[in-house]
């Protein structure tokens, strides 16, 4: 009988120690959950930030065949070496446009400023909008292909049945001649693909839109 109180005290003491342990466990769970949530938020934010960074990187380096943007002709002028430039055109599914280059291929001097035209026809019975993506092949020459004027930088909205000529003004940078990895390069392909724009910016059609050949280089 003398030992019974001792046994009851031991049994009663165990539940008293469980409360702090549970609270400590819950505290650790909250910390772990907070850390995981922060990591997820950081990853989501990084994914959005990566898009403009990737676009900037491609424009700056010519990565993945991204062409460069120039404001004027090269200072050194054309050189004797010639190169062929092919023109490719594509339309994404769901866009009722006919899109093709006026010339499939030309030969130019490296450093020579050239103007070529693509023609686009809206074959739908409604106004449609699209924007072009582009690249050059081989992908390694993107940093040497300089475009002065190009329809790919703006959203294009066309009335039903409208046909439009769209110029591209470009040159191949003479510095490509110093890149010995391109000594055997004879042909560059400039490729465009028009993609439909789901929510186009509403704006009036410019007057004289069809006469695109005036004022080009």
């Amino acid at each position: 009988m003398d030992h019974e109180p001792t046994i009851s005290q031991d049994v009663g003491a165990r539940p008293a120690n469980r409360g702090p342990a549970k609270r400590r466990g819950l505290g650790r769970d909250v910390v772990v959950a907070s850390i995981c949530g922060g990591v997820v938020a950081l990853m989501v934010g990084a994914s959005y930030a990566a898009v403009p960074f990737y676009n900037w990187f491609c424009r700056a380096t010519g990565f993945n065949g991204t062409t460069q943007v120039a404001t004027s002709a090269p200072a050194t002028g054309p050189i004797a070496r010639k190169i062929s430039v092919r023109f490719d055109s594509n339309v994404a599914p769901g866009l009722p446009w006919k899109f093709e280059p006026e010339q499939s291929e030309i030969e130019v001097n490296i450093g020579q400023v050239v103007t070529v035209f693509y023609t686009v026809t809206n074959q739908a019975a409604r106004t449609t909008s699209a924007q072009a993506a582009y690249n050059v092949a081989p992908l390694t020459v993107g940093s040497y292909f300089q475009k002065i004027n190009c329809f790919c930088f703006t959203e294009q909205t066309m009335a039903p049945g409208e046909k439009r000529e769209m110029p591209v003004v470009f040159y191949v940078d003479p510095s490509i001649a110093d890149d010995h990895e391109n000594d055997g390069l004879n042909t560059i392909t400039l490729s465009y693909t028009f993609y439909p724009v789901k929510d186009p910016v509403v704006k009036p059609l410019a007057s004289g839109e069809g006469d695109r050949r005036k004022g080009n280089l």
Side-chain angles (χ1 to χ4, degrees):
M1 296 296 295
D2 293 338
H3 297 287
E4 289 179 0
T6 303
I7 294 173
S8 62
Q9 289 176 2
D10 291 340
V11 173
R14 289 175 185 172
N17 293 330
R18 289 177 183 174
K22 284 186 177 181
R23 287 193 292 271
R24 287 195 298 271
L26 289 173
R28 285 195 299 269
D29 291 343
V30 171
V31 172
V32 171
S34 299
I35 293 174
C36 291
V39 170
V40 170
L42 181 63
M43 292 175 66
V44 171
S47 66
Y48 282 104
V51 174
F53 176 79
Y54 178 79
N55 290 337
W56 169 84
F57 177 77
C58 289
R59 288 181 180 274
T61 65
F63 179 76
N64 202 30
T66 303
T67 63
Q68 304 301 290
V69 179
T71 57
S72 61
T76 57
I79 62 177
R81 179 179 168 185
K82 292 180 178 292
I83 195 165
S84 295
V85 181
R86 295 174 179 170
F87 305 101
D88 178 50
S89 59
N90 305 278
V91 176
L95 182 64
W97 286 13
K98 181 180 179 182
F99 175 47
E100 57 188 1
E102 291 190 350
Q103 297 171 280
S104 59
E105 182 176 341
I106 61 173
E107 186 178 61
V108 300
N109 289 86
I110 292 177
Q112 176 186 355
V113 177
V114 181
T115 301
V116 297
F117 289 86
Y118 281 77
T119 59
V120 183
T121 304
N122 178 15
Q123 298 179 316
R126 67 185 190 281
T127 299
T128 53
S129 298
Q131 189 164 359
Y134 61 91
N135 73 335
V136 294
L139 301 181
T140 54
V141 302
S143 59
Y144 299 108
F145 199 95
Q146 303 280 345
K147 288 194 293 186
I148 298 175
N149 185 21
C150 175
F151 55 84
C152 54
F153 299 120
T154 56
E155 180 183 301
Q156 305 292 330
T157 299
M158 298 184 65
E162 180 183 356
K163 182 178 181 180
R164 188 179 300 175
E165 291 179 334
M166 297 183 176
V168 180
V169 184
F170 70 91
Y171 65 88
V172 180
D173 197 313
S175 62
I176 196 173
D178 299 324
D179 185 352
H180 296 297
E181 292 184 0
N182 289 300
D183 284 346
L185 180 68
N186 297 314
T187 303
I188 296 174
T189 300
L190 174 62
S191 180
Y192 289 95
T193 301
F194 264 111
Y195 294 92
V197 175
K198 293 183 179 180
D199 298 311
V201 177
V202 179
K203 56 184 178 181
L205 295 175
S207 60
E209 197 70 61
D211 190 3
R212 288 279 182 159
R213 295 184 183 273
K214 295 180 179 179
N216 289 305
L217 296 178

